[in-house]
Amino acid sequence: MTTMRQEVHGNAASERLAGLFAAQQQAYLAQPYPAADERIARLKALKQQIRRHQDVLVAAMQQDYGQRSAFESQMLDLACTIMQINHAIGRIRGWMKPQRRATEWLFATNRLSVTYQPKGVVGIIVPWNFPLYLGLGPLVAALSAGNRVILKMPELTPATNAALEHMLAEVFREDEVAVTGEELPDPAAFTALPFDHLIFTGSTATGRKVMRAAAENLTPVTLELGGKSPAVVSRDYPLAQAARSIVHGKGANCGQVCISPDYALVPRELEHAFVAAAQASFVAMYGNSIVGNPDYTWVVDNNHLLRLQVLLEDARTQGAEIIACADYDAARDGRQMPLHIVRHCTPAMRLLQEELFGPILPVVPYDTLDDAIAFINAGTRPLALYAYSHAQDEREALLRRTHSGGVTFNDWAWHVINHDVPFGGTGHSGMGSYHGVEGFRELSNAKPVFRRHRLFPSRLFQPPYGNWIQRMVVKLFLGKGDPRVNNKP
């Protein structure tokens, strides 16, 4: 009986999703280019709703996690979304203006420009770690570009999903913005739809599946995939400051952040001092025990807790030293897991191969900056790189000799919540970007428009070929061929 009910419910959810997509397609065709005033009005309505519903949203995330820092929910999920909305509202009119471009001199007197046209219906696949910021942020970009949007919310956050759906339904029709989520029997049904653009935030493994599914419809994708973001500590930088910043990056949302520092590269002679400073920083921020601490978020569920425990056990059996930064008994405290620092790591350990996405910090000693750069480049390209250095030559070396989606010097993550720059990955950490004008353009069709002057002599370029003007143009651009060149090998 239960299986039959689930099947009926699943079929209804799939039918609803298909209906939502069809309705949004029709709405887009009926109004393919919303005016700036309408786009701004939608963003202002979203902003007002976030403010009105903030307590309900924070409580919903608390319910989904078991314990989630209220301040982090307010600041990182909600306030940062408001920042992005404010940024877009003040710039949409400028973004929408056709951009004048220069013609080739051969076509002087004509006019050339680029217009940005809404793509249509955008699908957004939202991760569980920041279900509001990483859902609403892409939504802001999509609405700014004049699109219709369907959000696919994560299975792990049902309370947040329900609160968000209710909040959005108060101000948006479902043919403008709609929410679906954990009720879908087959999440792949979402990516199988022929969206005009698809945004996915999540793991690299799932990103590959999303890209394969999107390829069936030639749907363009934006993938934000995370990766092993390094934190490089220089000899010239105050060690305690670097340690505190990195620990904050691992403590925020319990390290369940795609841009969290994944591991620390530390000068070999400073390794012991760095570990001590990191321990002290964790205690100073969260205390000797985190049980019941409202400022510290839990690991999201038991499956993710088990994954972290397996990573630590794998390292332990291969000779790593593991240091818990606060009192912790896995059997007793469960998902209230403090930061664990890991020393004596080797490349064979899984925690140096996989994105950690939790409160584990491997410390990797290095001798020279060249060694640190080589270690970074030996892995896949990360979503972020953090470098703690006052030396300009070291900063330039890291910028020019490594690849990452973004960089913050002498802190972590702040480049992401400054919305006048793009946010995205490179290589295995993703492709495409959203935020700022880059996000607007990502979700728009950049359409070149050539306007011929009524007196422009186009006939000069038409057959029959061989007149003196045509010969002159060809000679001007190509010059003379080299008679010594032939097609023989």
Side-chain angles (χ1 to χ4, degrees):
M1 181 66 71
T2 301
T3 302
M4 184 178 295
R5 287 176 180 170
Q6 289 174 338
E7 184 176 346
V8 171
H9 179 71
N11 289 338
S14 297
E15 290 174 4
R16 175 177 177 266
L17 175 60
L20 289 174
F21 182 75
Q24 292 206 357
Q25 281 187 312
Q26 290 299 315
Y28 170 70
L29 291 174
Q31 189 186 18
Y33 197 86
D37 286 343
E38 186 170 351
R39 302 183 196 193
I40 291 170
R42 288 172 177 169
L43 292 182
K44 287 182 176 179
L46 177 59
K47 176 180 174 180
Q48 180 63 19
Q49 286 297 91
I50 293 171
R51 287 177 166 172
R52 289 183 60 241
H53 288 253
Q54 60 179 291
D55 294 337
V56 173
L57 295 171
V58 169
M61 286 187 282
Q62 170 85 357
Q63 180 180 336
D64 286 328
Y65 272 77
Q67 162 57 34
R68 194 175 197 258
S69 165
F71 177 79
E72 289 179 359
S73 294
Q74 291 168 330
M75 181 66 199
L76 301 180
D77 272 283
L78 303 182
C80 286
T81 302
I82 295 292
M83 294 178 199
Q84 188 173 355
I85 292 172
N86 290 341
H87 181 85
I89 286 173
R91 292 165 175 81
I92 283 177
R93 296 184 192 280
W95 293 344
M96 290 176 64
K97 288 180 180 179
Q99 288 191 333
R100 187 75 177 266
R101 301 294 178 90
T103 64
E104 299 290 345
W105 68 264
L106 196 61
F107 298 95
T109 74
N110 298 293
R111 294 173 61 194
L112 188 66
S113 64
V114 174
T115 62
Y116 293 95
Q117 180 180 22
K119 284 192 170 181
V121 181
V122 174
I124 299 173
I125 303 174
V126 185
W128 53 262
N129 61 323
F130 287 97
L132 295 179
Y133 183 58
L134 295 178
L136 296 176
L139 174 63
V140 171
L143 293 178
S144 299
N147 296 292
R148 312 277 166 161
V149 180
I150 304 177
L151 294 120
K152 195 279 178 192
M153 299 301 292
E155 297 178 7
L156 291 180
T157 58
T160 304
N161 301 353
L164 179 65
E165 184 172 12
H166 176 73
M167 180 192 88
L168 294 175
E170 288 184 346
V171 292
F172 295 110
R173 299 188 311 272
E174 285 194 328
D175 65 2
E176 295 175 317
V177 178
V179 176
T180 186
E182 75 278 0
E183 76 278 5
L184 291 174
D186 179 12
F190 191 86
T191 53
L193 291 171
F195 285 104
D196 298 295
H197 197 102
L198 196 58
I199 299 175
F200 169 78
T201 304
S203 70
T204 301
T206 305
R208 290 191 179 98
K209 296 178 182 178
V210 169
M211 195 169 182
R212 278 195 293 268
E216 291 297 317
N217 295 306
L218 295 181
T219 298
V221 295
T222 299
L223 304 178
E224 190 271 278
L225 304 177
K228 297 190 71 61
S229 298
V232 183
V233 180
S234 174
R235 289 178 170 87
D236 79 328
Y237 196 82
L239 197 66
Q241 290 182 25
R244 186 176 179 93
S245 172
I246 294 169
V247 168
H248 179 224
K250 296 300 291 189
N253 208 41
C254 199
Q256 298 165 125
V257 187
C258 57
I259 51 170
S260 173
D262 196 89
Y263 62 95
L265 283 160
V266 180
R268 190 174 303 278
E269 71 276 12
L270 299 177
E271 181 184 2
H272 286 282
F274 175 82
V275 170
Q279 288 179 276
S281 296
F282 188 88
V283 171
M285 285 187 276
Y286 302 110
N288 287 305
S289 173
I290 60 167
V291 175
N293 186 338
D295 291 336
Y296 196 76
T297 298
W298 290 11
V299 176
V300 69
D301 70 0
N302 288 327
N303 288 332
H304 286 272
L305 177 66
L306 177 61
R307 180 184 61 83
L308 295 169
Q309 291 171 340
V310 169
L311 288 174
L312 289 174
E313 186 58 29
D314 173 75
R316 184 181 288 108
T317 59
Q318 295 188 61
E321 177 188 359
I322 299 172
I323 304 160
C325 291
D327 182 45
Y328 178 64
D329 184 326
R332 179 192 67 207
D333 302 330
R335 292 190 287 125
Q336 301 175 87
M337 183 181 182
L339 177 63
H340 286 63
I341 298 173
V342 184
R343 297 182 61 234
H344 308 308
C345 301
T346 63
M349 295 176 184
R350 288 179 56 188
L351 52 72
L352 283 187
Q353 299 172 8
E354 303 174 18
E355 183 180 7
L356 298 177
F357 221 71
I360 299 174
L361 178 65
V363 177
V364 179
Y366 72 88
D367 295 306
T368 68
L369 186 64
D370 286 343
D371 295 334
I373 290 173
F375 187 90
I376 295 168
N377 288 338
T380 57
R381 294 176 177 180
L383 184 59
L385 180 142
Y386 307 116
Y388 297 82
S389 174
H390 291 311
Q392 187 63 24
D393 59 337
E394 291 187 349
R395 293 186 181 190
E396 288 300 317
L398 286 162
L399 280 176
R400 295 180 179 182
R401 295 171 58 190
T402 67
H403 281 271
S404 60
V407 176
T408 289
F409 285 118
N410 301 337
D411 216 325
W412 79 284
W414 300 132
H415 66 280
V416 174
I417 60 174
N418 283 274
H419 298 102
D420 201 32
V421 293
F423 171 51
T426 177
H428 281 70
S429 62
M431 64 178 65
S433 60
Y434 48 88
H435 291 185
V437 67
E438 285 82 5
F440 172 86
R441 292 175 179 172
E442 180 95 348
L443 299 178
S444 302
N445 174 37
K447 182 183 292 186
V449 178
F450 182 92
R451 291 180 173 85
R452 175 186 172 272
H453 190 280
R454 63 189 180 89
L455 299 180
F456 184 75
S458 294
R459 293 182 61 182
L460 294 177
F461 301 97
Q462 299 169 358
Y465 297 127
N467 63 57
W468 70 271
I469 291 181
Q470 293 169 351
R471 294 197 305 271
M472 180 186 71
V473 169
V474 169
K475 185 175 181 179
L476 179 66
F477 285 101
L478 298 183
K480 291 183 178 180
D482 189 338
R484 295 169 297 178
V485 177
N486 57 54
N487 292 327
K488 296 180 181 179

